[in-house]
Amino acid sequence: GEYWKRFKTSSNQSVVLQVINLGLLLSGALVAYKIMSFVTQAESPIVVVLSESMEPTIRRGDLLFLSNYKTPYTTGDIVVYLIPGREVPIVHRVIKLHDNETDSDPKILTKGDNNFADDIQLYEGRRWLTRDLIVGKAYLVVPYAGMLTIWLNDYPPLKFALLGSMSLFALLTD
């Protein structure tokens, strides 16, 4: 009893409550991401565009919302794909479809709007992309919403400065 009364009146209570609030905020964000992943059927339902290969349609730093429903792809769709062994997914447009009567899974050829050539060189020996390599199809673009992510990756000291200032702010405010 006495310990709890002292704890209630101390600043320790404030720090603990702030840590709990931060944990709840992060947990809520993770749950929202997982729900979004489930609803869109995309393992990664949100992607930040890292290159200029799709300009002027999509710019570096734009945030893409993806779905991966089993709907047919059409020429002109913007898809995100990941080649095994590569770390970074690629955002490009479907420029050609190759349907095979014996296979219900269409073969896809992509190209960046700002690139001269198609993506065959990126496919690492494949001639076409298959559905299993597609992370998702873009259904919403939020311009420049992912720039903070790019800045934090391009300038690591900025990451530490931001984390430090957020921590300091959390500790010093009531």
Side-chain angles (χ1 to χ4, degrees):
E2 183 65 32
Y3 176 77
W4 183 248
K5 285 181 188 175
R6 279 197 323 253
F7 179 77
K8 280 184 172 181
T9 59
S10 74
S11 65
N12 289 339
Q13 179 188 17
S14 176
V15 170
V16 168
L17 288 176
Q18 288 174 347
V19 168
I20 289 171
N21 282 336
L22 179 63
L24 288 172
L25 178 71
L26 293 175
S27 298
L30 179 62
V31 167
Y33 184 84
K34 289 298 185 181
I35 289 171
M36 189 177 204
S37 182
F38 176 75
V39 168
T40 62
Q41 297 179 6
E43 186 178 326
S44 181
I46 301 173
V47 172
V48 175
V49 178
L50 300 176
S51 76
E52 296 87 10
S53 68
M54 284 298 293
E55 288 188 357
T57 309
I58 297 176
R59 300 190 185 299
R60 184 173 193 254
D62 288 356
L63 192 67
L64 300 181
F65 287 82
L66 309 176
S67 66
N68 202 14
Y69 304 118
K70 299 299 181 201
T71 57
Y73 295 105
T74 59
T75 302
D77 285 344
I78 295 172
V79 297
V80 177
Y81 65 91
L82 185 62
I83 300 297
R86 289 186 170 230
E87 292 181 24
V88 180
I90 298 168
V91 179
H92 282 173
R93 185 179 306 278
V94 174
I95 61 167
K96 191 173 184 182
L97 296 168
H98 177 70
D99 292 321
N100 187 345
E101 292 177 10
T102 61
D103 188 3
S104 63
D105 192 20
K107 310 296 187 256
I108 299 166
L109 181 63
T110 57
K111 176 186 170 296
D113 290 358
N114 200 24
N115 294 350
F116 292 110
D118 60 37
D119 292 347
I120 287 179
Q121 265 86 20
L122 300 176
Y123 299 164
E124 296 185 356
R126 297 171 182 83
R127 291 184 38 85
W128 303 91
L129 284 180
T130 51
R131 187 178 287 277
D132 62 309
L133 299 174
I134 306 290
V135 175
K137 181 176 15 177
Y139 66 88
L140 177 66
V141 178
V142 182
Y144 301 111
M147 283 307 293
L148 181 61
T149 301
I150 290 175
W151 293 335
L152 293 176
N153 284 329
D154 287 353
Y155 308 105
L158 180 63
K159 188 184 306 185
F160 295 114
L162 183 66
L163 287 173
S165 62
M166 287 171 46
S167 301
L168 193 60
F169 180 76
L171 291 174
L172 296 179
T173 59
D174 285 331

